[in-house]
Amino acid sequence: MKIAPVQLLIFDWDGTLFDSVGQIVHSLMHAAAKFSQPLTKDAAKNIIGLGLPEVMQSLFPNVPELHQSILDAYASHYVEHSKNDHWFDGVAEMLHDLKQQGVKLAVATGKSRRGLDRVLTKTQSHDLFEITRAASETQSKPHPQMLQEILAHTGVLAQNAIMVGDTSYDLQMAQHIAMPRVGVSYGVHPSLTLEQYQPLTIVDDIAALHQFLNGQITVE
């Protein structure tokens, strides 16, 4: 299925571009244990993609007084232990190739602005993206506000953009505003979950994602 013209590609970060899911889960487990809160790895993984306040409310609804302390413990552990996290193999080449072809690139993430800026600097990718939106500065996925803000900034219509993500939150966010969407199965949520949100396709690796997106972009 080809849609045209595609002028803008919007990517989720963790689990889509960046191989960080394992460390996020590990850091959430560490923070929960520090405050004697029960948490399973599956539960920690499943909420990746939400904004951090929403993560706290989902995982620890009965101890709101601990949310900030748990968040601080999570953030400290993640920064300290995520130094080896990196883009999935092929992401740098894919992004540079797509940008060279004239398509606009953006990021829509559940990370905080501080966390996103840190990894943008780490990957030297600030200049690759027209705009990036973090959950700390807008509404959390699956609310579509961050996509609407990206569209307003770039002047692109929803039907001329594609959202790429590894979670139901990414695809539902795009579905809310009838934006075409692509799921990736190598991140957080399995294909069976992603299929519910009627993506154009679901790909299993970066090479397949690169190939599919190359087949979609048409820049006049």
Side-chain angles (χ1 to χ4, degrees), residues 127-140:
D127 293 341
L128 275 175
F129 302 107
E130 296 279 325
I131 179 176
T132 61
R133 299 302 286 161
S136 62
E137 59 199 6
T138 185
Q139 294 203 58
S140 172

Side-chain angles (χ1 to χ4, degrees), residues 16-17 26 51 55 58 74 86 98 106 156 158 184 194 212 217 219:
T16 299
L17 298 179
H26 186 58
V55 167
S58 177
Y74 161 76
H86 51 79
L98 293 169
V156 175
V184 304
L194 301 177
F212 180 81
I217 59 176
V219 180

Side-chain angles (χ1 to χ4, degrees), residues 45-63:
K45 182 179 180 181
N46 191 57
I47 52 72
I48 293 175
L50 296 177
L52 290 175
E54 288 74 21
V55 167
M56 292 298 102
Q57 183 57 43
S58 177
L59 296 181
F60 313 110
N62 298 323
V63 287

Side-chain angles (χ1 to χ4, degrees), residues 26-156:
H26 186 58
S27 294
L28 281 170
M29 296 293 289
H30 166 83
K34 183 175 181 179
F35 294 93
S36 302
Q37 296 302 306
L39 180 62
T40 66
K41 289 184 178 180
D42 284 346
K45 182 179 180 181
N46 191 57
I47 52 72
I48 293 175
L50 296 177
L52 290 175
E54 288 74 21
V55 167
M56 292 298 102
Q57 183 57 43
S58 177
L59 296 181
F60 313 110
N62 298 323
V63 287
E65 70 279 6
L66 291 179
H67 285 181
Q68 190 57 54
S69 296
I70 296 173
L71 272 178
D72 291 344
Y74 161 76
S76 177
H77 188 274
Y78 182 78
V79 170
E80 181 180 353
H81 292 87
S82 63
K83 294 179 174 60
N84 293 324
D85 287 356
H86 51 79
W87 271 339
F88 289 107
D89 290 344
V91 164
E93 294 82 359
M94 176 184 70
L95 294 176
H96 281 93
D97 176 53
L98 293 169
K99 188 174 179 67
Q100 189 174 37
Q101 295 182 61
V103 69
K104 296 177 179 179
L105 306 179
V107 169
T109 179
K111 299 182 87 67
S112 67
R113 170 50 62 184
R114 181 179 178 183
L116 179 59
D117 283 345
R118 184 176 63 82
V119 290
L120 287 170
T121 298
K122 179 177 182 177
T123 55
Q124 299 181 319
S125 57
H126 282 278
D127 293 341
L128 275 175
F129 302 107
E130 296 279 325
I131 179 176
T132 61
R133 299 302 286 161
S136 62
E137 59 199 6
T138 185
Q139 294 203 58
S140 172
K141 303 172 185 178
H143 192 283
Q145 183 175 342
M146 64 173 70
L147 292 184
Q148 292 167 327
E149 291 169 351
I150 290 170
L151 294 174
H153 177 85
T154 58
V156 175

